[in-house]
């Protein structure tokens, strides 16, 4: 019998009330320990302890005392109970990194039991993320037995790299009513299949806190004294797992644990995108802060970045990130994500400009140097946009400072409508891995654009007519228009407002079917905020229809076609951007959604076929194939479908995103759920009242972007890298003339070569204990791999083998005479079995 209080710090209340419920619950638990020598309380979120330490030191000291006795048991080992499908893989690493280190520093021990009872699903990569954070067992509730059959309620859950945890599905529920524990226990035992003599049941008032009551303990004592065949033991989860861990009869399970409440993955578009933006800003800031400090710049801001991460982790709480909390909670989430993003953007900008200040830039009258920085640790070919306050109204050319060669550039419409010398420029840049390149902007001598260095995206139509603002006027499109580069050829049908042809010129394969069907489809959605009971969204009510199609940009860097579509009072604006060198067709979207209890899906039909049709979804630090049956699924930054072309070759395409997580793959067709509009915090079976004015989700304008990437064969690690760089675009900062020790172009990470094609380098940061740099990488295709990862700024090269899907963390001591070491996700030494952690020192007294 595990006494607990499942506490939602945010749900039908805001975090301020959540803080109070934590304090009150913990005080109640300590009081019960004073009254009952056998009572044990279990806490599963470290953020709650951090709160109590700050606001009630006396209570915190009482908790420390009981924790040393083993009566205040801390499980979970994560900062909060997050949604497990939506966070980036690195966010799940940080849940453990900050939580386990906090526990060790305050309580002298770390959690060994993972506990995440309330989220709506669990990814297939989770056992490895747990094991490498020192966690050997996992306690959960969903999916429930009616949602997914498991080989046993207690089982070994494994990942292809060899990691294994003991999983346990809680019977019936994780909280009990304050006055009905006997009835609750009876229902829980009914849920347990026969054959297990020992089971674990959680009890205690929850959600809004409370925990076990005196009545609960009296009921347990009464039942223990009856002749009922039960032996009830007050215990912690570790007590149970220690008794089953060595059982040889436990069945094995490999895969994810889904599905429950699939509407969570599309509810509240805002928080989904805030989360994605903050995660990637923090990753980029850490890499560049490590570079800047290494070069003698600002000290690495450990505390600032940790605080920013902790705000992100807190808002990944399952009811917050899932979009199922009440509306005011998202004002708090917006501000806290804003804080994290602001800190990260500040660190990133200061770090990049610190490096820029060390670049040797000779004076040249009438020119403006710009430093373009690459946030990812592999080479990037990108079209980089920035606003330019030019020295004159003359047109400009752009020169690579390192080579002296003119590169393709294109003037585009400024984000400011002020006229004069202000303009916006897009430059076709080649950026080294985690590096920079300086481009010098010069007067073009009357030429409107620089001479392109590669094939231009050509629009098959007459040239545009100049507009009064100095920019070409948008040109209406009334007939099919084709855009073509060396790599792609796409054709747009203004009658449908979408593609009628998409050819990957490397293969010559036409990806579009003969009759593509509707593109932006409106669906009936009578489900609650969670989408309880939903398997798929497929009840069509209508579609967006195009009202205007224009070519809005044409030049040597890219062509842009803008499509405006309408449905009722709603409006969708899609800008199709085809860059001359781009591996994708990028689509920049603005949606004004005014519908209630409807969903919007953007559909990507294809002409692929064959019995080996595969749908592949990105999951935290990994990928997973799922049947292409049209069910609503969650993904991270990309989803892919591959199959046979008409000539029998295997081809495919991936859809990348910057904050849309819900998709279906129905045969060869991908559907992206863009918006849902149930009522905030509306839970089935409650029915909406006809005369009440409700607050619906996703109303008004929102922005999002996606890209379509064709490929041969199955999706490789290159798709993973493209998805990451789609979310971490290059940074452009103006520079001035000054001497410096750095050349006009530099790379600080070598990027993956042929020997590391399947391994993605994800993290470069300073070590939590100082004196070293931490590098994290993972195998991204599901096959064994050897990797050579050069890090020239650190005068180091990592050479390592990776098991399928394996995540590895390396510690690079500042002292170059010391070897590179494999460490756990907690940055402590790891040993077998299961990557358990050895803290570096004895805990503080």
């Amino acid at each position: 019998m595990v006494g607990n209080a499942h506490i939602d710090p945010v749900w039908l209340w805001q975090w301020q009330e959540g803080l109070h419920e934590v304090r009150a619950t913990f005080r109640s638990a300590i009081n019960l320990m004073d009254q009952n020598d056998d009572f044990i309380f279990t806490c599963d979120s470290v953020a709650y302890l951090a709160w109590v330490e700050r606001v009630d030191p006396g209570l915190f000291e009482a908790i420390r005392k009981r924790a040393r006795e083993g009566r205040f048991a801390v499980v979970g080992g994560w900062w909060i109970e997050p949604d497990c499908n939506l966070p980036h893989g690195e966010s799940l690493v940080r849940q453990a990194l900050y939580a386990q280190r906090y526990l060790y520093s305050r309580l002298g021990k770390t959690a060994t039991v993972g506990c995440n009872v309330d989220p709506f699903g669990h990814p297939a990569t989770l056992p490895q993320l747990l094991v490498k954070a020192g966690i050997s067992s996992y306690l959960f509730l969903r999916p429930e037995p009616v949602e997914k059959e498991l080989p046993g309620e207690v089982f070994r859950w494994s990942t292809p790299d060899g990691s294994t945890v003991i999983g346990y599905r809680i019977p019936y529920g994780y909280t009990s009513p304050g006055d009905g524990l006997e009835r609750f226990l009876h229902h829980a035992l009914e849920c347990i299949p026969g054959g297990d003599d020992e089971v674990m049941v959680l009890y205690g008032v929850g959600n809004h806190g409370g925990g076990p009551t005196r009545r609960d303990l009296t009921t347990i004592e009464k039942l223990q004294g009856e002749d009922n065949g039960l032996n009830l033991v007050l215990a912690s989860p570790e007590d149970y797992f220690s008794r089953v861990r060595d059982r040889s009869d436990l069945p094995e399970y490999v895969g994810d644990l889904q599905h429950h409440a699939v509407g969570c993955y599309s509810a509240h578009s805002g928080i989904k995108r805030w989360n994605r933006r903050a995660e990637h800003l923090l990753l980029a800031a850490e890499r560049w802060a490590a570079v800047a400090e290494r070069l003698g710049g600002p000290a690495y801001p450990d505390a600032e970045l940790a605080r920013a991460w902790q705000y992100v982790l807190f808002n990944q709480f399952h009811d917050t990130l899932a979009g199922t909390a009440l509306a005011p909670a998202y004002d708090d989430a917006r501000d806290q994500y804003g804080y994290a993003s602001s800190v990260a953007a500040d660190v990133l900008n200061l770090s990049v400009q610190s490096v820029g200040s060390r670049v040797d830039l000779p004076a040249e009258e009438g020119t403006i140097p710009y430093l373009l920085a690459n946030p990812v640790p592999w080479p990037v070919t990108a079209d980089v946009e920035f606003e330019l306050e030019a020295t004159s109204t003359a047109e400009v050319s752009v020169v690579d400072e390192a080579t002296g060669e003119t590169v393709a550039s294109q003037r585009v419409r400024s984000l400011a409508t002020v006229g004069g010398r202000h303009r916006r420029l897009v430059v076709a840049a080649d950026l080294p891995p985690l590096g920079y390149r300086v481009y010098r902007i010069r007067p073009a001598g009357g030429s409107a654009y620089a001479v392109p260095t590669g094939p231009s995206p050509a629009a098959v139509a007459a040239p545009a007519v100049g507009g009064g603002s100095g920019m070409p006027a948008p040109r209406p499109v009334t007939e099919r228009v084709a855009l073509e580069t060396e790599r792609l050829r796409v054709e747009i049908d203004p009658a449908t407002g979408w593609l009628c042809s998409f050819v990957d010129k490397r293969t010559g394969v036409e990806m579009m079917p003969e009759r593509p069907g509707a593109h932006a489809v409106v669906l009936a959605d009578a489900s609650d905020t969670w989408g309880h009971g939903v398997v798929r969204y497929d009840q069509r009510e209508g579609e967006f229809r195009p009202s205007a199609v224009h070519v809005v940009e044409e030049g040597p860097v890219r062509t842009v076609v803008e499509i405006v579509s309408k449905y009722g009072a709603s409006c969708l604006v899609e800008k199709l951007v085809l860059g001359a060198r781009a591996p994708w067709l990028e689509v920049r979207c603005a949606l004004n959604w005014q519908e209630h209890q409807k969903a919007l899906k953007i559909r990507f039909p294809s002409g692929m076929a064959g019995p080996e049709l595969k749908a592949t979804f990105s999951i935290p630090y990994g990928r997973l194939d799922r049947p292409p049956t049209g069910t609503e699924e969650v993904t991270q930054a990309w989803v892919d479908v591959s199959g046979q072309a008409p000539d029998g070759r295997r081809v495919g395409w991936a859809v990348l995103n910057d904050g849309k997580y819900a998709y279906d793959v129905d045969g060869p067709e991908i559907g992206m759920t863009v918006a849902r509009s149930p009522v905030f915090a509306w839970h089935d079976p409650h029915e909406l009242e006809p005369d009440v004015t409700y607050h619906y989700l996703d109303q008004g304008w929102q922005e999002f972007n996606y890209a379509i990437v064709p490929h041969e064969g199955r999706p490789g690690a290159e798709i993973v890298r493209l998805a990451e760089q789609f979310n971490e675009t290059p940074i452009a900062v103006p520079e001035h003339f000054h001497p410096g020790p750095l050349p006009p172009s530099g790379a600080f990470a070598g990027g993956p070569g042929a020997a590391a094609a399947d391994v993605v380098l994800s993290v470069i940061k300073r070590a939590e204990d100082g004196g070293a740099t931490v590098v994290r990488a993972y195998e991204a295709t599901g096959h064994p791999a050897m990797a050579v990862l050069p890090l020239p700024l650190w005068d180091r090269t990592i050479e390592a083998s990776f098991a399928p899907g394996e995540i590895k963390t390396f510690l690079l001591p500042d002292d170059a005479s010391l070897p590179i070491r494999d460490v756990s996700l907690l940055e402590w030494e790891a040993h077998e079995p299961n990557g358990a952690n050895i803290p570096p020192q004895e805990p503080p007294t």
Side-chain angles (χ1 to χ4, degrees):
M1 298 294 293
V2 174
N4 84 112
H6 172 69
I7 300 176
D8 290 335
V10 176
W11 181 29
L12 307 181
W13 43 85
Q14 293 173 255
W15 72 267
Q16 296 89 340
E17 187 172 342
L19 169 54
H20 169 260
E21 71 190 59
V22 165
R23 292 171 46 225
T25 299
F26 286 3
R27 176 62 69 185
S28 172
I30 293 297
N31 289 344
L32 277 180
M33 290 177 199
D34 293 340
Q35 299 163 19
N36 186 312
D37 292 339
D38 296 324
F39 173 62
I40 296 173
F41 179 76
T42 295
C43 164
D44 70 353
S45 292
V46 173
Y48 305 161
L49 296 175
W51 266 350
V52 171
E53 183 183 22
R54 292 175 67 187
V55 303
D56 194 340
L59 175 59
F60 187 73
E61 284 306 312
I63 290 171
R64 281 165 56 97
K65 174 187 174 184
R66 295 302 188 182
R68 286 193 293 270
E69 298 170 356
R71 297 183 61 199
F72 195 103
V74 180
V75 297
W78 282 359
W79 196 248
I80 206 76
E81 271 197 40
D83 183 279
C84 292
N85 288 312
L86 295 166
H88 190 282
E90 187 58 28
S91 289
L92 296 181
V93 171
R94 302 307 172 96
Q95 289 281 351
L97 177 74
Y98 294 116
Q100 293 280 56
R101 283 176 159 267
Y102 178 93
L103 291 175
Y104 188 72
S105 66
R106 290 351 187 246
L107 305 182
K109 56 187 175 182
T110 58
T112 60
V113 175
C115 182
N116 209 6
V117 299
D118 203 23
F120 315 118
H122 311 266
T125 48
L126 197 54
Q128 182 182 181
L129 290 163
L130 294 168
V131 163
K132 293 190 174 181
I135 295 169
S136 57
S137 51
Y138 190 63
L139 194 59
F140 68 98
L141 174 68
R142 302 188 181 100
E144 298 174 35
V146 296
E147 295 165 329
K148 187 175 188 67
E149 183 179 350
L150 292 172
E153 299 309 289
V154 56
F155 56 95
R156 297 189 188 278
W157 187 16
S158 302
T159 47
D161 73 296
S163 299
T164 298
V165 295
I166 305 298
Y168 183 82
R169 179 157 59 186
I170 301 166
Y172 192 56
Y174 47 78
T175 61
S176 58
D179 59 353
L181 178 58
E182 185 171 355
R183 184 172 64 255
F184 174 85
L185 179 59
H186 175 73
H187 288 315
L189 294 176
E190 283 183 332
C191 295
I192 299 291
D196 279 339
D197 293 332
E198 238 175 343
V199 299
M200 175 167 43
V201 174
L202 274 63
Y203 73 97
V205 179
N207 287 338
H208 198 258
T213 64
R214 293 186 185 91
R215 180 178 293 181
D216 288 338
L217 298 182
T218 300
T219 299
I220 291 171
E221 185 176 356
K222 177 181 79 73
L223 292 172
Q224 178 70 359
E226 295 177 355
D227 184 14
N228 53 21
L230 294 177
N231 179 29
L232 304 183
V233 180
L234 301 179
S236 72
E238 177 56 38
D239 294 330
Y240 172 79
F241 284 114
S242 67
R243 299 173 71 89
V244 301
R245 188 167 288 124
D246 295 331
R247 279 176 46 180
S248 60
D249 62 336
L250 295 181
E252 186 176 22
Y253 178 78
V254 178
D256 60 0
L257 299 174
Q258 314 288 2
H259 298 86
H260 180 89
V262 296
C264 292
Y265 305 123
S266 51
H268 203 298
S269 295
I271 195 164
K272 308 293 197 280
R273 201 157 189 246
W274 303 337
N275 178 74
R276 179 73 65 82
R277 179 171 181 264
E279 288 176 324
H280 283 282
L281 275 171
L282 283 164
L283 289 169
E286 288 178 338
R287 297 187 198 111
W288 272 92
V291 166
E293 184 183 62
R294 183 80 178 172
L295 291 172
Y300 189 87
D302 309 72
E304 290 177 71
L305 290 171
R307 183 68 171 153
W309 268 112
Q310 287 162 16
Y311 270 122
V312 170
L313 303 180
F314 178 78
N315 283 285
Q316 289 174 343
F317 178 72
H318 51 270
D319 281 317
T320 310
L321 187 53
T324 56
L326 79 175
Y330 292 98
D331 295 335
D332 297 330
R334 175 203 61 211
D335 295 347
Q336 291 168 359
Y337 273 117
Y339 170 86
S341 296
S342 179
V343 166
D346 182 63
V347 170
L348 179 58
N349 190 272
L350 291 176
S351 300
V352 169
Q353 295 215 31
S354 169
V355 173
S357 72
R358 290 164 168 76
V359 176
D360 187 38
L361 291 173
E364 182 181 338
E365 187 176 354
T367 68
I368 305 173
Y370 262 76
L371 182 141
L372 274 53
N374 178 10
V376 297
W378 53 82
V380 165
T381 297
D383 300 333
V384 184
E385 295 182 48
F386 52 89
E387 297 285 326
L388 173 66
E389 181 67 24
T391 57
S392 72
T393 58
E395 296 298 338
V396 300
S397 64
V398 178
V399 175
D400 183 335
E401 184 78 357
T403 66
E405 296 179 357
T406 299
V407 301
S409 65
Q410 183 174 327
R411 183 179 177 184
V412 298
R413 192 171 296 276
S414 171
L415 301 181
T417 311
V418 296
R421 297 181 309 214
H422 199 79
R423 67 192 69 185
R424 189 168 181 82
L425 204 63
V426 55
V427 175
D430 290 294
L431 302 180
L434 191 61
Y436 66 90
R437 188 178 295 275
V438 174
Y439 293 89
R440 196 180 288 263
I441 299 169
R442 293 175 171 160
S447 174
Y449 297 106
V451 178
T453 57
S456 303
V460 182
V465 178
S469 66
M471 289 298 300
R475 173 170 52 78
V477 174
T478 56
E479 298 181 353
R480 291 185 176 185
V481 59
L483 312 179
E484 187 166 1
T485 67
E486 189 176 72
R487 181 165 178 169
L488 299 175
R489 185 183 189 276
V490 300
E491 191 171 343
I492 301 160
D493 184 354
T496 65
W498 187 237
L499 305 178
C500 55
S501 176
F502 189 115
V503 177
D504 182 352
K505 294 171 65 176
R506 298 170 303 174
T507 64
V509 172
E510 171 64 71
M511 300 297 292
M512 296 295 289
E514 186 175 348
R515 295 181 180 84
H519 171 56
V521 181
V522 179
L523 307 164
D525 177 17
S527 65
D528 64 12
T529 318
W530 287 256
H532 282 123
V534 170
V535 175
R536 57 176 57 85
Y537 294 101
D538 57 4
Q539 301 299 310
R540 292 197 177 199
E541 288 210 349
E543 63 190 75
F544 278 75
R545 297 188 180 276
S547 60
V549 181
H550 290 89
V551 177
V552 295
E553 288 183 31
E554 292 175 278
V557 178
R558 69 189 189 191
T559 297
V560 180
V561 177
E562 180 181 82
I563 301 167
V564 180
S565 303
K566 300 288 182 66
Y567 174 87
S570 300
C571 176
L572 174 65
V573 181
E574 293 180 287
K575 290 185 177 180
L576 280 61
V577 183
L578 184 60
R581 307 176 306 160
W584 53 47
L585 174 66
E586 180 183 359
V587 185
R588 302 177 182 180
C589 303
L591 170 67
N592 183 8
W593 184 244
Q594 297 293 335
E595 310 307 315
H596 294 171
Q597 291 185 263
K598 293 183 176 68
L600 171 61
K601 271 190 180 286
I602 289 179
R603 303 214 65 86
F604 307 92
S606 78
M608 289 177 284
E612 295 299 317
L613 200 66
K614 295 288 186 182
T616 306
F617 295 78
S618 56
I619 62 177
Y621 273 161
R623 63 172 62 199
L624 186 68
D625 288 345
R626 294 177 176 135
T629 56
T631 57
E632 191 79 352
E633 302 282 1
V634 61
T635 197
Q636 294 259 310
W638 60 273
V639 62
D640 184 274
V641 62
S642 64
Q644 286 181 316
D647 62 4
R649 284 179 295 170
R650 176 165 286 280
V651 296
W653 63 8
V655 176
L656 318 183
N657 71 79
D658 69 350
K660 297 296 180 186
Y661 293 86
Y663 293 77
D664 71 88
V665 179
D666 192 358
E669 182 171 319
I670 297 172
M672 175 172 66
T673 309
V674 168
R676 287 182 61 237
S677 47
V679 170
F680 272 89
W682 167 36
H683 198 301
D684 182 73
H686 182 81
E687 296 184 1
L688 300 180
E689 301 172 46
D691 298 325
V692 175
T693 300
Y694 290 103
H695 191 174
Y696 292 84
L697 272 75
D698 274 3
Q699 301 297 289
W701 284 101
Q702 60 168 284
E703 295 182 355
F704 60 96
N705 305 304
Y706 62 88
I708 307 171
V709 187
H711 60 81
E712 295 183 77
R714 296 296 308 282
E718 184 60 22
I719 295 295
V720 179
R721 294 190 188 94
L722 288 173
E724 292 293 295
Q725 70 191 55
F726 190 68
N727 284 273
E728 293 184 37
T729 54
I731 305 105
V733 295
E735 267 301 337
H736 55 280
F737 311 131
H738 49 68
L742 296 180
S745 177
F748 304 121
D758 293 340
V759 173
V760 174
L761 203 166
S762 179
V763 170
I764 299 175
K765 64 184 284 289
R766 290 296 285 166
E768 296 295 308
D769 295 320
T773 298
V774 168
V775 174
R776 189 156 22 255
Y778 67 103
E779 196 287 313
T781 68
H783 300 95
M786 284 294 300
V788 179
L789 303 172
L791 298 162
L793 183 61
W794 287 265
D795 297 318
R796 300 283 192 131
T797 296
I798 296 172
E799 298 184 24
S801 61
F802 286 73
E806 185 176 12
I807 307 161
K808 283 201 167 185
T809 305
F810 305 96
L811 195 78
L812 283 61
D814 293 343
D815 184 346
S817 68
L818 297 176
I820 297 172
R821 305 198 305 274
D822 281 21
V823 294
S824 72
L825 296 178
L826 308 183
E827 301 177 16
W828 292 335
E829 298 296 335
H831 69 77
E832 297 300 331
N834 279 347
N837 298 287
I838 305 174
Q841 58 195 20
E842 289 299 312
T845 58

